[in-house]
Amino acid sequence: MALNSKFKAAKFSRVERSMNIFLLIFLTVLLLETTLCTILRYVYMAKTSLTEAWYLPAEPETTVKKAIEDFFAFVVLFNYIIPISLYVTVELQKFFGSMFFGWDVLMFDDGTNNRAMANTSDLNEELGQIQYLFTDKTGTLTENDMQFRQCSVNGTKYGETGGMLCKLPESPDSDAQPELISALTPELEEFFRVLVLCHTVRVDRHEIAKNGPAIDLARPMKVVPVEEDLDTVDALSGFEYDYQASSPDEKAFVEACRRYGVVYHGVRDDLHEVTFKNRPERYQQLQLLEFDATRKCMSVIVKNVDTGELYLLCKGAEMAVLKNTVSGPHDETLQAVNDYAMLGLRTLVIAQRKLSVDEFEKFDAALSEARRALDDRDGKLDAVFYSVEQNLQVLGATAVEDRLQDRVPETIEALTEAGIKVWVLTGDKEETAVNISYSAGHFKPGVKELRLTQVHNSVEAAERLTRHRRTIQEGASEGVDAAKFAFVVDGPSLAVAVTNHSDLFLSVCQMCQTVLCCRMSPLQKAQVVRLIKTSEEKPVTAAIGDGANDCSMIQEAHVGLGIMGKEGRQAVRCSDYAFGKFHFLMRALLVHGHYYYIRIATLVQYFFYKNIAFITAQVYFAFFSAFSAQTVFDSFYLLCYNITFTSLPILIYGWFEQHIPQEKLIEKPELYKQIRKNAYLSPREFIKWNLLGLWHSIVFFVGVYLISSDASISESGQMFGTWSLGAMLITACVITVNLKLALETYYWTAVTHFSMWFITFGGFFLFVLLYAGVVWPSFITAVLDAYWVYFRFFGELSTWLTLILMIVTALIPDFIIRARRDTLSMLPQTDNRVHSKSHESSNNASFSEHTPLNHANPVVPIKFSTLNETSEF
């Protein structure tokens, strides 16, 4: 497993990359503004009229130092355009938002009593951007609950009926009944001996049978008889045992053998104890050649302590074992393997080799030498393993059933409708994998299979790939959809194709809707993910698996998903998100992913927008203050604008917003297409939000300037000063940007209302009135410029009228956008798929005509769901 593992690279979401780009743009804007104002300052001061003004002090001589000081004065003045608090808010939104993933009771697995897990909060929004999904088969699409169904021994097929071994009729269409096997033939005993000894199963027993052997509870894997005579194991039927295995296949084999009267009792005094129909035998395990993805087989060397015979017992994939056999029913076994694979069953070939003492001693010496090697130890061990796993006698084949998990077909169907291409990467035999793909809905009925299998040279690979591409192109010219083609490739052929024709192979894969890769090693799975991830399109990829052999693939993908299955927790630990069943993936992507992306994308755009709406007025004011770097805002307003006045509502929005009801997102998976490719942070959306911010800033400044420059508007006849101007600007800006967020909100909860109307608006007016109505001690503030300013201009009726007019005028475009969006969402639904395709091709981030927006706007208390409650976000 270590040979097939890889280091985990740091992962970044598309939103984070967009944030960094937007930040660079705003830094450039800041530099341009400060540079322009610095230049205009010296141009303005060079005018003759200013030098003749007796009331202005003489300007110091222009020097480089003075120019730099002025430049940085404007930097300090305009730096609020950079939303520094954005990163803090994003981290808070992601961290607490990821908790909803684990709190979702609809993703709780009752079978394993496990809830969903978010191992990271950095990739929440990436769940809404997936374009390719790579999935394992065993334990991911299937239950990983292996049940022994059939076997072929010496060319004869056997099956299990009612827990008993039966000989099957030669013709599947025959009306003959299976023949019950009451006694094991020598061929069957040889076959079951491999199954009952070639494994790493541990035996646990939790009850003490009457008149049977005592159990050493401190060593549960060993059976400790009361008497030293081995005959005492006859009292055990084996059904008292609980077999524990790292591989579900091995457990299924040992349990099947127990049902047929071949019982594995465990290890005592370093000897493996087995009974064949109550006939005891003991074997010493001399060497264990564990399974690896390269050899695709496992072997043990055992010695019968009664007869002294030495055997190499081997089981593995037919492509690895049959090529090393020299005797036995080779063709019959291969045919049986193919027949089982057509039924969707997992197959293994069983073989053995009788060793002489000299052969074993030579192998044992070579193995010991290889294990002591300091250089190329793994290569030398493989060479020794290959040397002994030769000249085998094939005994037969096994067929194990691993049924699909619930709701797998509808999940794959929903993901396909969402525009996600699903690839299945498995180590199973080609026919088995193809049949499971049909059963899972991965391959649709009537699909045309394009195969790249059993290819061992570059020329043949190029010919097949070229032919497949021509077939797809001809079909496209005839109006045949890409979904009508399915590409099947095996591990050896993949190695040839990627090494010599990676571009051609990639183009064929991308032209097909579904791809199935079989006989894959763990590193090949990661290689396929990397091939798509680094392609010219740069799609967002996700990989899902349940075992240690899926870790490389999970770590390679942009988003790693783990299934809490029966093969340990390696996949869960190295994944970004984990849950109990495959069908939870539909909710993880279509609901959580959709909400996560919309929330964070709106949050990012809103932060840049509100800073544009706020600080741009300071740039306008520079033109009216002789570019003197005079601030129009009191320092209290500058300090509190991002921290308190506008921070809480957008954070609450980022936690609870549900612009579309959850049920609609599941019912209409095509809605997922609208947010892919980072649609809501596209250049078009970025420009739209910031143009709205510029419009708001222009309305604020022009409105305030007009009312402050006309003394006749005031009842006292006095003109408003600089601080009154700044107070009106900040008031209009705070109210407008928060109302803008209210227009973007579709899901109103009690927390949303409280944070918006009471905390933000109520807190804003309370703060400014306290600040402007109290003479604060000098250790709090040494400047009292804002004292009584609010009370003065709030006492003017014209101020309130101007404030209302400015806010309404500024929000007119936002009202139009919201009205258009809601109107289009209420239109009768026609062909969603046609719209989705046009929407995706235009990369338009706006809501579609068929987006069922959450118009209900329920006011509900936020509660943390328990296991008996409906999930809420």
Side-chain angles (χ1 to χ4, degrees), residues 531-762:
L531 181 68
I532 297 299
K533 188 175 76 169
T534 58
S535 62
E536 183 178 357
E537 186 184 355
K538 295 292 189 298
V540 180
T541 60
I544 182 171
D546 71 311
N549 60 334
D550 302 317
C551 290
S552 297
M553 171 179 71
I554 290 172
Q555 292 175 345
E556 182 65 45
H558 292 103
V559 180
L561 305 168
I563 295 290
M564 301 172 186
K566 300 177 181 179
E567 296 189 11
R569 287 292 186 264
Q570 295 95 326
V572 173
R573 285 195 295 268
C574 74
S575 66
D576 302 306
Y577 302 90
F579 34 83
K581 298 295 182 183
F582 181 80
H583 69 84
F584 292 155
L585 181 64
M586 182 164 53
R587 186 167 178 83
L589 300 186
L590 303 186
V591 177
H592 287 279
H594 202 116
Y595 286 158
Y596 281 144
Y597 178 74
I598 291 296
R599 292 165 180 171
I600 194 68
T602 304
L603 184 149
V604 171
Q605 296 280 31
Y606 179 77
F607 258 86
F608 286 102
Y609 145 79
K610 70 185 181 70
N611 280 23
I612 282 284
F614 171 57
I615 205 63
T616 309
Q618 184 68 69
V619 180
Y620 305 149
F621 184 71
F623 286 84
F624 294 87
S625 60
F627 303 99
S628 59
Q630 167 65 40
T631 178
V632 70
F633 297 112
D634 187 88
S635 59
F636 173 78
Y637 308 144
L638 295 173
L639 174 66
C640 295
Y641 179 76
N642 282 314
I643 296 178
T644 59
F645 296 161
T646 59
S647 60
L648 186 58
I650 186 60
L651 184 59
I652 299 300
Y653 175 96
W655 287 340
F656 299 111
E657 172 65 3
Q658 297 182 39
H659 64 297
I660 302 175
Q662 301 177 34
E663 298 78 11
K664 293 296 182 182
L665 292 175
I666 296 295
E667 292 174 7
K668 301 181 178 299
E670 60 270 15
L671 296 175
Y672 189 84
K673 295 180 181 179
Q674 300 177 8
I675 64 172
R676 294 190 311 152
K677 299 182 179 180
N678 208 13
Y680 282 73
L681 290 177
S682 64
R684 173 180 174 175
E685 286 295 299
F686 180 69
I687 293 173
K688 183 191 78 173
W689 276 85
N690 287 287
L691 285 179
L692 288 173
L694 284 174
W695 165 250
H696 292 176
S697 67
I698 292 172
V699 171
F700 300 154
F701 189 82
V702 172
V704 172
Y705 177 76
L706 291 177
I707 190 176
S708 63
S709 59
D710 190 348
S712 64
I713 295 178
S714 173
E715 294 180 0
S716 63
Q718 295 180 352
M719 297 178 62
F720 290 156
T722 301
W723 304 117
S724 296
L725 188 147
M728 288 191 65
L729 283 174
I730 189 67
T731 303
C733 184
V734 169
I735 295 175
T736 303
V737 298
N738 282 288
L739 290 178
K740 162 68 174 174
L741 181 61
L743 288 173
E744 295 295 325
T745 303
Y746 282 88
Y747 190 72
W748 286 89
T749 67
V751 175
T752 310
H753 280 289
F754 186 74
S755 66
M756 178 71 73
W757 314 120
F758 292 94
I759 300 297
T760 300
F761 285 124

Side-chain angles (χ1 to χ4, degrees), residues 134-404:
F134 302 91
T135 174
D136 179 41
K137 182 187 77 66
T138 303
T140 305
L141 300 179
T142 62
E143 293 282 3
N144 205 13
D145 182 15
M146 308 300 179
Q147 297 296 327
F148 187 89
R149 294 304 181 206
Q150 297 186 36
C151 64
S152 172
V153 181
N154 199 27
T156 303
K157 290 185 177 180
Y158 298 86
E160 182 175 297
T161 303
M164 295 179 290
L165 185 66
C166 300
K167 181 180 178 181
L168 300 179
E170 294 184 2
S171 175
D173 300 328
S174 173
D175 295 334
Q177 296 297 318
E179 178 185 344
L180 180 64
I181 303 298
S182 57
L184 299 180
T185 63
E187 292 83 2
L188 284 172
E189 285 196 3
E190 283 187 330
F191 181 84
F192 287 127
R193 179 175 58 191
V194 178
L195 297 185
V196 85
L197 289 174
C198 186
H199 56 69
T200 57
V201 173
R202 187 188 71 196
V203 180
D204 289 345
R205 182 167 177 253
H206 304 294
E207 297 180 0
I208 300 178
K210 294 182 179 180
N211 301 323
I215 303 300
D216 184 356
L217 297 178
R219 297 162 59 194
M221 66 177 293
K222 295 188 178 182
V223 178
V224 185
V226 174
E227 300 178 6
E228 292 298 328
D229 190 353
L230 182 57
D231 292 338
T232 56
V233 299
D234 294 347
L236 297 176
S237 64
F239 290 97
E240 301 90 348
Y241 299 148
D242 182 15
Y243 294 118
Q244 303 293 333
S246 58
S247 168
D249 297 85
E250 292 185 345
K251 182 178 181 180
F253 290 149
V254 176
E255 289 178 344
C257 290
R258 178 176 60 184
R259 293 194 295 271
Y260 309 148
V262 181
V263 183
Y264 177 65
H265 296 279
V267 180
R268 181 173 67 90
D269 297 335
D270 295 329
L271 298 179
H272 294 257
E273 298 177 345
V274 184
T275 53
F276 292 83
K277 295 290 185 179
N278 294 327
R279 187 185 77 248
E281 292 185 6
R282 294 192 298 180
Y283 292 86
Q284 180 184 4
Q285 187 181 100
L286 302 176
Q287 292 290 350
L288 172 64
L289 283 61
E290 294 185 352
F291 175 87
D292 65 61
T294 304
R295 289 169 37 244
K296 291 184 171 61
C297 65
M298 170 191 177
S299 301
V300 295
I301 298 178
V302 297
K303 176 182 179 181
N304 188 320
V305 297
D306 298 322
T307 64
E309 294 176 331
L310 296 171
Y311 294 94
L312 175 112
L313 310 179
C314 180
K315 64 179 182 184
E318 85 286 344
M319 60 184 297
V321 176
L322 288 179
K323 66 180 182 180
N324 296 326
T325 59
V326 295
S327 62
H330 180 281
D331 295 338
E332 294 86 348
T333 301
L334 181 59
Q335 182 60 45
V337 168
N338 293 332
D339 292 342
Y340 295 149
M342 293 301 294
L343 297 174
L345 302 176
R346 292 167 56 89
T347 60
L348 286 177
V349 171
I350 307 302
Q352 70 175 11
R353 174 185 175 184
K354 191 172 182 179
L355 300 175
S356 65
V357 176
D358 291 340
E359 288 176 329
F360 170 71
E361 290 178 350
K362 290 180 181 179
F363 165 72
D364 189 55
L367 184 60
S368 299
E369 182 179 353
R371 286 173 173 166
R372 292 194 301 267
L374 299 179
D375 298 327
D376 193 22
R377 179 182 301 172
D378 295 333
K380 292 179 180 179
L381 284 173
D382 288 340
V384 176
F385 290 165
Y386 280 118
S387 68
V388 73
E389 291 174 339
Q390 300 291 331
N391 304 322
L392 300 174
Q393 173 194 359
V394 61
L395 301 178
T398 62
V400 174
E401 181 185 27
D402 184 15
R403 72 181 185 91
L404 282 177

